[in-house]
Amino acid sequence: LFGHIFVSFICLYIYCAILNRLKAAKLLTQISPHDLLTKFSKVYAYQVGEGTELSEVPKRVRDLSRKLNYPIFPN
């Protein structure tokens, strides 16, 4: 039971953090936190040998990352 409550709390914290980032970037009227996570989930990381490669990052996802100040994708 405590594990379930803890995981729910972490999920709520992440949701609120994304919501605050969207509010700060004035994007909340255009995209919801759930939509943002859905768009970001289209990028995959593949293990190639000893390194990691990313799949193609869609332009919309790269733009959202830049607007939200999330530098998670390499140039």
Coordinates of all heavy atoms in Angstrom, one line a residue:
L1 N 0.8 -1.2 0.0 CA 0.0 0.0 0.0 C 0.9 1.3 0.0 O 0.6 2.2 -0.7 CB -0.9 0.0 1.2 CG -1.9 1.2 1.3 CD1 -2.9 1.2 0.2 CD2 -2.6 1.2 2.6
F2 N 1.9 1.3 0.8 CA 2.8 2.5 0.9 C 3.5 2.7 -0.4 O 3.8 3.8 -0.8 CB 3.7 2.4 2.1 CG 3.1 2.5 3.4 CD1 3.0 1.5 4.3 CD2 2.5 3.7 3.7 CE1 2.4 1.6 5.5 CE2 1.8 3.8 5.0 CZ 1.8 2.8 5.8
G3 N 3.9 1.6 -1.1 CA 4.6 1.7 -2.4 C 3.7 2.3 -3.4 O 4.1 3.1 -4.2
H4 N 2.4 1.9 -3.4 CA 1.5 2.5 -4.4 C 1.3 4.0 -4.1 O 1.3 4.8 -5.0 CB 0.1 1.8 -4.2 CG -0.9 2.3 -5.1 ND1 -0.9 2.1 -6.5 CD2 -2.0 3.1 -4.9 CE1 -2.0 2.7 -7.1 NE2 -2.6 3.3 -6.1
I5 N 1.2 4.4 -2.9 CA 1.0 5.8 -2.5 C 2.3 6.6 -2.9 O 2.2 7.7 -3.5 CB 0.7 6.0 -1.0 CG1 -0.6 5.4 -0.7 CG2 0.8 7.4 -0.6 CD1 -1.0 5.3 0.7
F6 N 3.5 6.0 -2.7 CA 4.7 6.6 -3.1 C 4.8 6.9 -4.6 O 5.2 7.9 -5.0 CB 5.9 5.8 -2.6 CG 7.2 6.4 -2.9 CD1 7.7 7.6 -2.4 CD2 8.0 5.8 -3.9 CE1 8.9 8.1 -2.7 CE2 9.2 6.3 -4.3 CZ 9.7 7.5 -3.7
V7 N 4.5 5.8 -5.3 CA 4.5 5.9 -6.8 C 3.5 7.0 -7.3 O 3.8 7.8 -8.2 CB 4.3 4.6 -7.5 CG1 4.1 4.7 -9.0 CG2 5.5 3.6 -7.2
S8 N 2.4 7.0 -6.7 CA 1.3 8.0 -7.1 C 1.8 9.4 -6.8 O 1.6 10.3 -7.5 CB 0.0 7.8 -6.3 OG -0.5 6.5 -6.7
F9 N 2.5 9.6 -5.6 CA 3.1 10.9 -5.3 C 4.2 11.3 -6.3 O 4.2 12.5 -6.7 CB 3.7 10.8 -3.9 CG 4.4 12.1 -3.5 CD1 3.7 13.3 -3.2 CD2 5.8 12.1 -3.5 CE1 4.4 14.4 -2.9 CE2 6.5 13.3 -3.2 CZ 5.8 14.4 -2.9
I10 N 5.0 10.4 -6.7 CA 6.1 10.7 -7.7 C 5.4 11.1 -9.0 O 5.9 12.1 -9.6 CB 7.1 9.6 -7.8 CG1 7.8 9.3 -6.5 CG2 8.0 9.8 -9.0 CD1 8.7 10.4 -6.1
C11 N 4.4 10.4 -9.4 CA 3.7 10.7 -10.7 C 3.1 12.1 -10.6 O 3.2 12.9 -11.6 CB 2.7 9.7 -11.0 SG 3.4 8.1 -11.4
L12 N 2.5 12.4 -9.5 CA 1.9 13.7 -9.3 C 2.9 14.8 -9.3 O 2.7 15.9 -9.9 CB 1.0 13.8 -8.0 CG 0.3 15.1 -7.7 CD1 -0.7 15.4 -8.8 CD2 -0.3 15.0 -6.3
Y13 N 4.0 14.6 -8.7 CA 5.1 15.6 -8.7 C 5.6 15.8 -10.1 O 5.8 17.0 -10.5 CB 6.3 15.1 -7.8 CG 7.4 16.0 -7.7 CD1 7.4 17.1 -6.9 CD2 8.5 15.8 -8.6 CE1 8.5 18.0 -6.9 CE2 9.6 16.7 -8.5 CZ 9.6 17.8 -7.7 OH 10.6 18.7 -7.7
I14 N 5.9 14.8 -10.9 CA 6.3 14.9 -12.3 C 5.3 15.7 -13.1 O 5.6 16.5 -13.9 CB 6.7 13.6 -12.9 CG1 7.9 13.0 -12.1 CG2 7.0 13.7 -14.4 CD1 8.3 11.6 -12.5
Y15 N 4.0 15.3 -12.9 CA 2.9 16.0 -13.7 C 2.9 17.5 -13.4 O 2.8 18.3 -14.3 CB 1.6 15.3 -13.3 CG 0.4 15.9 -14.1 CD1 0.1 15.4 -15.3 CD2 -0.3 16.9 -13.5 CE1 -1.0 15.9 -16.0 CE2 -1.4 17.5 -14.2 CZ -1.7 17.0 -15.5 OH -2.8 17.5 -16.1
C16 N 3.0 17.8 -12.1 CA 3.0 19.2 -11.7 C 4.3 20.0 -12.2 O 4.2 21.1 -12.6 CB 2.9 19.4 -10.2 SG 1.3 18.9 -9.6
A17 N 5.4 19.3 -12.2 CA 6.6 19.9 -12.8 C 6.5 20.2 -14.3 O 6.9 21.3 -14.7 CB 7.8 19.0 -12.5
I18 N 5.9 19.3 -15.0 CA 5.7 19.5 -16.4 C 4.7 20.6 -16.6 O 4.8 21.5 -17.5 CB 5.2 18.2 -17.1 CG1 6.4 17.2 -17.1 CG2 4.8 18.4 -18.5 CD1 6.0 15.8 -17.6
L19 N 3.6 20.6 -15.8 CA 2.6 21.6 -15.9 C 3.1 23.0 -15.7 O 2.8 23.9 -16.4 CB 1.5 21.3 -14.9 CG 0.2 22.2 -15.0 CD1 -0.6 21.9 -16.2 CD2 -0.6 21.9 -13.7
N20 N 4.0 23.1 -14.7 CA 4.6 24.4 -14.4 C 5.6 24.9 -15.5 O 5.6 26.1 -15.8 CB 5.4 24.4 -13.1 CG 4.5 24.3 -11.9 OD1 3.3 24.7 -12.0 ND2 4.9 23.7 -10.8
R21 N 6.3 23.9 -16.1 CA 7.1 24.3 -17.3 C 6.3 24.8 -18.4 O 6.6 25.7 -19.1 CB 8.0 23.1 -17.7 CG 9.1 22.8 -16.9 CD 10.3 23.6 -17.3 NE 11.4 23.3 -16.4 CZ 12.6 23.0 -16.8 NH1 12.9 23.0 -18.1 NH2 13.6 22.7 -16.0
L22 N 5.2 24.1 -18.7 CA 4.3 24.5 -19.8 C 3.7 25.9 -19.5 O 3.5 26.7 -20.4 CB 3.2 23.5 -20.0 CG 3.6 22.2 -20.6 CD1 2.5 21.2 -20.6 CD2 4.0 22.4 -22.1
K23 N 3.3 26.2 -18.2 CA 2.8 27.5 -17.9 C 3.8 28.6 -18.1 O 3.5 29.7 -18.6 CB 2.3 27.5 -16.4 CG 1.0 26.9 -16.2 CD 0.6 27.0 -14.7 CE -0.7 26.3 -14.4 NZ -1.0 26.3 -13.0
A24 N 5.1 28.3 -17.6 CA 6.1 29.3 -17.8 C 6.5 29.6 -19.2 O 6.8 30.7 -19.6 CB 7.4 28.8 -17.1
A25 N 6.3 28.6 -20.1 CA 6.6 28.8 -21.5 C 5.4 29.3 -22.3 O 5.4 29.5 -23.5 CB 7.1 27.5 -22.1
K26 N 4.3 29.5 -21.5 CA 3.0 29.9 -22.1 C 2.5 29.0 -23.3 O 2.1 29.4 -24.3 CB 3.1 31.3 -22.7 CG 3.3 32.3 -21.5 CD 3.4 33.7 -22.1 CE 3.5 34.8 -21.0 NZ 4.4 34.6 -20.0
L27 N 2.7 27.7 -23.0 CA 2.3 26.6 -24.0 C 1.1 25.8 -23.5 O 0.7 24.9 -24.2 CB 3.4 25.7 -24.3 CG 4.6 26.3 -25.0 CD1 5.8 25.3 -25.1 CD2 4.2 26.7 -26.4
L28 N 0.6 26.1 -22.3 CA -0.5 25.3 -21.7 C -1.8 25.3 -22.5 O -2.5 24.4 -22.5 CB -0.7 25.8 -20.3 CG -1.5 24.8 -19.4 CD1 -0.8 23.4 -19.4 CD2 -1.6 25.4 -18.0
T29 N -2.0 26.4 -23.3 CA -3.2 26.4 -24.1 C -3.1 25.6 -25.3 O -4.1 25.3 -26.0 CB -3.6 27.9 -24.5 OG1 -2.5 28.4 -25.2 CG2 -3.8 28.7 -23.3
Q30 N -1.9 25.2 -25.7 CA -1.6 24.5 -26.9 C -1.4 23.0 -26.7 O -1.7 22.2 -27.5 CB -0.4 25.1 -27.7 CG -0.5 26.5 -28.0 CD 0.8 27.1 -28.5 OE1 1.8 26.4 -28.6 NE2 0.8 28.4 -28.8
I31 N -0.8 22.6 -25.5 CA -0.5 21.3 -25.3 C -0.6 20.9 -23.8 O -0.4 21.8 -22.9 CB 1.0 21.0 -25.8 CG1 1.3 19.5 -25.7 CG2 2.0 21.8 -25.0 CD1 2.6 19.2 -26.4
S32 N -1.1 19.7 -23.5 CA -1.2 19.3 -22.1 C 0.0 18.5 -21.7 O 0.7 18.0 -22.6 CB -2.5 18.5 -22.0 OG -2.3 17.2 -22.6
P33 N 0.2 18.2 -20.4 CA 1.3 17.4 -20.0 C 1.2 16.0 -20.6 O 2.3 15.4 -20.9 CB 1.2 17.4 -18.5 CG 0.5 18.7 -18.1 CD -0.5 18.9 -19.3
H34 N 0.0 15.4 -20.7 CA -0.1 14.1 -21.3 C 0.3 14.1 -22.7 O 1.0 13.2 -23.2 CB -1.6 13.6 -21.1 CG -1.8 12.2 -21.6 ND1 -2.2 11.9 -22.9 CD2 -1.6 11.0 -21.0 CE1 -2.2 10.6 -23.0 NE2 -1.9 10.1 -21.9
D35 N -0.1 15.1 -23.5 CA 0.3 15.2 -24.9 C 1.8 15.4 -25.0 O 2.4 14.8 -26.0 CB -0.4 16.4 -25.6 CG -1.9 16.2 -25.7 OD1 -2.4 15.1 -25.6 OD2 -2.6 17.2 -25.7
L36 N 2.4 16.2 -24.1 CA 3.8 16.4 -24.2 C 4.6 15.0 -24.0 O 5.5 14.7 -24.7 CB 4.2 17.4 -23.1 CG 5.7 17.7 -23.1 CD1 6.1 18.5 -24.3 CD2 6.1 18.3 -21.8
L37 N 4.1 14.3 -23.0 CA 4.8 13.0 -22.8 C 4.5 12.0 -23.9 O 5.4 11.2 -24.3 CB 4.2 12.3 -21.5 CG 4.7 13.1 -20.2 CD1 4.0 12.4 -19.0 CD2 6.2 13.0 -20.0
T38 N 3.4 12.1 -24.6 CA 3.1 11.2 -25.7 C 4.0 11.6 -26.9 O 4.6 10.7 -27.6 CB 1.6 11.4 -26.2 OG1 0.8 11.0 -25.1 CG2 1.3 10.5 -27.3
K39 N 4.2 12.9 -27.1 CA 5.1 13.3 -28.2 C 6.6 12.9 -27.9 O 7.3 12.5 -28.8 CB 5.0 14.8 -28.4 CG 3.7 15.3 -29.0 CD 3.7 16.8 -29.3 CE 2.3 17.2 -29.7 NZ 1.9 16.6 -31.0
F40 N 7.0 13.1 -26.6 CA 8.4 12.8 -26.3 C 8.6 11.2 -26.3 O 9.7 10.8 -26.5 CB 8.7 13.3 -24.9 CG 9.2 14.7 -24.9 CD1 8.6 15.7 -25.7 CD2 10.2 15.1 -24.1 CE1 9.1 17.0 -25.8 CE2 10.7 16.4 -24.1 CZ 10.1 17.4 -24.9
S41 N 7.5 10.5 -26.2 CA 7.7 9.0 -26.2 C 8.0 8.4 -27.6 O 8.3 7.3 -27.7 CB 6.5 8.3 -25.6 OG 5.4 8.4 -26.5
K42 N 7.9 9.3 -28.6 CA 8.2 8.8 -30.0 C 9.7 8.7 -30.2 O 10.1 8.2 -31.3 CB 7.5 9.7 -31.0 CG 6.0 9.7 -30.9 CD 5.4 10.6 -31.8 CE 3.9 10.6 -31.6 NZ 3.2 11.5 -32.4
V43 N 10.5 9.2 -29.3 CA 12.0 9.1 -29.5 C 12.5 7.9 -28.7 O 12.2 7.8 -27.5 CB 12.6 10.4 -29.0 CG1 14.1 10.4 -29.1 CG2 12.1 11.6 -29.7
Y44 N 13.2 7.1 -29.4 CA 13.8 5.9 -28.7 C 15.3 5.9 -28.7 O 15.9 6.5 -29.5 CB 13.4 4.6 -29.6 CG 11.9 4.4 -29.6 CD1 11.1 4.8 -30.7 CD2 11.3 3.7 -28.5 CE1 9.8 4.6 -30.7 CE2 9.9 3.5 -28.5 CZ 9.2 3.9 -29.6 OH 7.8 3.7 -29.6
A45 N 15.8 5.3 -27.6 CA 17.3 5.2 -27.5 C 17.6 3.7 -27.7 O 17.0 2.8 -27.2 CB 17.7 5.6 -26.1
Y46 N 18.6 3.5 -28.6 CA 19.0 2.1 -29.0 C 20.4 1.9 -28.5 O 21.3 2.7 -28.6 CB 18.9 1.9 -30.5 CG 17.6 2.0 -31.1 CD1 17.2 3.2 -31.7 CD2 16.7 1.0 -31.0 CE1 15.9 3.3 -32.3 CE2 15.4 1.1 -31.5 CZ 15.0 2.3 -32.2 OH 13.8 2.4 -32.7
Q47 N 20.7 0.6 -28.0 CA 22.0 0.2 -27.6 C 22.7 -0.3 -28.9 O 22.3 -1.3 -29.4 CB 21.9 -0.8 -26.5 CG 23.1 -1.1 -25.8 CD 23.5 0.1 -24.8 OE1 22.6 0.9 -24.5 NE2 24.7 0.1 -24.4
V48 N 23.8 0.4 -29.3 CA 24.6 -0.1 -30.4 C 26.0 -0.3 -30.0 O 26.7 0.7 -29.7 CB 24.5 1.0 -31.6 CG1 25.4 0.6 -32.7 CG2 23.1 1.3 -32.0
G49 N 26.4 -1.5 -29.9 CA 27.7 -1.8 -29.4 C 27.8 -1.4 -27.9 O 27.1 -1.8 -27.1
E50 N 28.8 -0.5 -27.7 CA 29.0 0.0 -26.3 C 28.3 1.4 -26.2 O 28.3 2.0 -25.1 CB 30.5 0.1 -26.0 CG 31.1 -1.3 -25.9 CD 32.6 -1.1 -25.5 OE1 33.0 -0.1 -25.0 OE2 33.3 -2.1 -25.7
G51 N 27.8 2.0 -27.2 CA 27.2 3.3 -27.2 C 25.7 3.3 -27.3 O 25.1 2.2 -27.5
T52 N 25.1 4.4 -27.2 CA 23.7 4.6 -27.3 C 23.4 5.5 -28.4 O 24.0 6.6 -28.6 CB 23.1 5.1 -26.0 OG1 23.5 4.3 -24.9 CG2 21.6 5.2 -26.1
E53 N 22.4 5.2 -29.3 CA 22.0 6.0 -30.4 C 20.5 6.4 -30.2 O 19.8 5.6 -29.7 CB 22.1 5.2 -31.7 CG 23.5 4.9 -32.1 CD 24.3 6.1 -32.6 OE1 23.7 7.0 -33.2 OE2 25.5 6.1 -32.4
L54 N 20.2 7.6 -30.6 CA 18.8 8.0 -30.6 C 18.1 7.8 -31.9 O 18.8 8.0 -32.9 CB 18.7 9.5 -30.2 CG 18.9 9.8 -28.7 CD1 18.8 11.4 -28.6 CD2 18.0 9.2 -27.8
S55 N 16.8 7.5 -31.9 CA 16.1 7.4 -33.2 C 16.0 8.9 -33.7 O 16.3 9.8 -33.0 CB 14.7 6.8 -33.0 OG 13.9 7.6 -32.1
E56 N 15.4 9.0 -34.8 CA 15.2 10.4 -35.4 C 14.3 11.2 -34.4 O 13.2 10.7 -34.0 CB 14.6 10.3 -36.8 CG 14.4 11.7 -37.4 CD 13.9 11.6 -38.8 OE1 13.7 10.4 -39.3 OE2 13.6 12.6 -39.4
V57 N 14.7 12.4 -34.1 CA 13.9 13.2 -33.2 C 13.0 14.1 -34.1 O 13.6 14.9 -34.9 CB 14.8 14.1 -32.3 CG1 13.9 15.0 -31.4 CG2 15.7 13.2 -31.5
P58 N 11.7 14.0 -34.0 CA 10.8 14.9 -34.9 C 11.1 16.4 -34.6 O 11.4 16.7 -33.4 CB 9.4 14.4 -34.5 CG 9.6 13.1 -33.9 CD 10.9 13.1 -33.2
K59 N 10.9 17.2 -35.6 CA 11.1 18.6 -35.5 C 10.2 19.2 -34.4 O 10.7 20.0 -33.6 CB 10.8 19.3 -36.8 CG 11.1 20.8 -36.8 CD 10.9 21.4 -38.1 CE 11.3 22.9 -38.2 NZ 10.7 23.7 -37.2
R60 N 9.0 18.8 -34.3 CA 8.0 19.3 -33.3 C 8.5 19.0 -31.8 O 8.5 19.8 -31.0 CB 6.6 18.7 -33.5 CG 5.6 19.1 -32.4 CD 5.0 20.4 -32.7 NE 3.9 20.6 -31.8 CZ 3.6 21.7 -31.2 NH1 4.3 22.8 -31.5 NH2 2.6 21.8 -30.4
V61 N 9.1 17.8 -31.6 CA 9.6 17.4 -30.3 C 10.9 18.2 -30.0 O 11.0 18.7 -28.9 CB 9.9 15.9 -30.3 CG1 10.6 15.5 -29.0 CG2 8.6 15.1 -30.5
R62 N 11.7 18.4 -31.0 CA 12.9 19.2 -30.8 C 12.6 20.7 -30.4 O 13.2 21.3 -29.5 CB 13.8 19.2 -32.0 CG 15.2 19.8 -31.8 CD 16.1 19.6 -33.0 NE 16.3 18.3 -33.5 CZ 17.2 17.4 -32.9 NH1 18.0 17.9 -32.0 NH2 17.3 16.2 -33.4
D63 N 11.6 21.2 -31.1 CA 11.1 22.6 -30.8 C 10.5 22.7 -29.4 O 10.8 23.7 -28.7 CB 10.1 23.1 -31.9 CG 10.7 23.3 -33.2 OD1 12.0 23.4 -33.3 OD2 10.0 23.3 -34.2
L64 N 9.7 21.7 -29.1 CA 9.1 21.7 -27.7 C 10.2 21.6 -26.6 O 10.1 22.3 -25.6 CB 8.1 20.6 -27.5 CG 6.8 20.8 -28.1 CD1 6.0 19.5 -28.1 CD2 6.0 21.9 -27.4
S65 N 11.2 20.8 -26.9 CA 12.3 20.7 -25.9 C 13.0 22.0 -25.8 O 13.4 22.4 -24.7 CB 13.3 19.6 -26.4 OG 14.4 19.6 -25.7
R66 N 13.2 22.7 -26.9 CA 13.9 24.0 -26.8 C 13.1 25.1 -26.1 O 13.6 25.8 -25.3 CB 14.2 24.5 -28.2 CG 15.2 25.6 -28.3 CD 15.6 26.0 -29.7 NE 15.9 24.9 -30.6 CZ 15.2 24.6 -31.6 NH1 14.2 25.3 -32.0 NH2 15.5 23.5 -32.4
K67 N 11.8 25.1 -26.4 CA 10.9 26.1 -25.8 C 10.7 25.8 -24.3 O 10.6 26.8 -23.5 CB 9.5 26.0 -26.4 CG 9.4 26.6 -27.8 CD 8.1 26.5 -28.4 CE 8.0 26.9 -29.8 NZ 6.7 26.7 -30.4
L68 N 10.8 24.6 -23.8 CA 10.6 24.3 -22.4 C 11.9 24.3 -21.7 O 12.0 24.0 -20.5 CB 9.9 22.9 -22.3 CG 8.5 22.8 -22.8 CD1 8.0 21.4 -22.7 CD2 7.6 23.7 -21.9
N69 N 13.0 24.5 -22.4 CA 14.4 24.5 -21.8 C 14.7 23.2 -21.2 O 15.2 23.1 -20.1 CB 14.5 25.6 -20.8 CG 15.9 26.0 -20.4 OD1 16.8 25.7 -21.2 ND2 16.1 26.6 -19.3
Y70 N 14.4 22.1 -21.9 CA 14.8 20.7 -21.6 C 15.9 20.3 -22.6 O 15.6 19.8 -23.7 CB 13.6 19.8 -21.8 CG 12.7 19.7 -20.6 CD1 11.3 19.6 -20.8 CD2 13.1 19.7 -19.3 CE1 10.5 19.5 -19.8 CE2 12.3 19.6 -18.2 CZ 10.9 19.5 -18.5 OH 10.0 19.4 -17.5
P71 N 17.2 20.6 -22.3 CA 18.2 20.2 -23.3 C 18.5 18.7 -23.3 O 19.6 18.3 -22.9 CB 19.4 21.0 -22.9 CG 19.2 21.2 -21.4 CD 17.7 21.2 -21.2
I72 N 17.6 17.8 -23.7 CA 17.8 16.4 -23.5 C 18.2 15.8 -24.9 O 18.7 14.6 -24.9 CB 16.6 15.7 -23.0 CG1 15.3 16.0 -23.8 CG2 16.3 16.1 -21.6 CD1 14.1 15.2 -23.4
F73 N 18.1 16.5 -26.0 CA 18.5 15.9 -27.3 C 19.7 16.6 -27.8 O 19.8 17.8 -27.7 CB 17.3 16.1 -28.3 CG 16.0 15.5 -27.9 CD1 14.9 16.2 -27.7 CD2 16.0 14.1 -27.7 CE1 13.7 15.7 -27.3 CE2 14.8 13.5 -27.3 CZ 13.7 14.3 -27.1
P74 N 20.7 15.8 -28.3 CA 21.9 16.5 -28.8 C 21.6 17.2 -30.1 O 20.6 16.9 -30.8 CB 22.8 15.3 -29.1 CG 21.9 14.1 -29.2 CD 20.7 14.4 -28.4
N75 N 22.4 18.2 -30.4 CA 22.2 18.9 -31.7 C 22.5 18.2 -32.9 O 22.8 17.5 -33.5 CB 23.0 20.2 -31.7 CG 22.4 21.2 -30.6 OD1 21.3 21.1 -30.3 ND2 23.3 21.9 -30.1

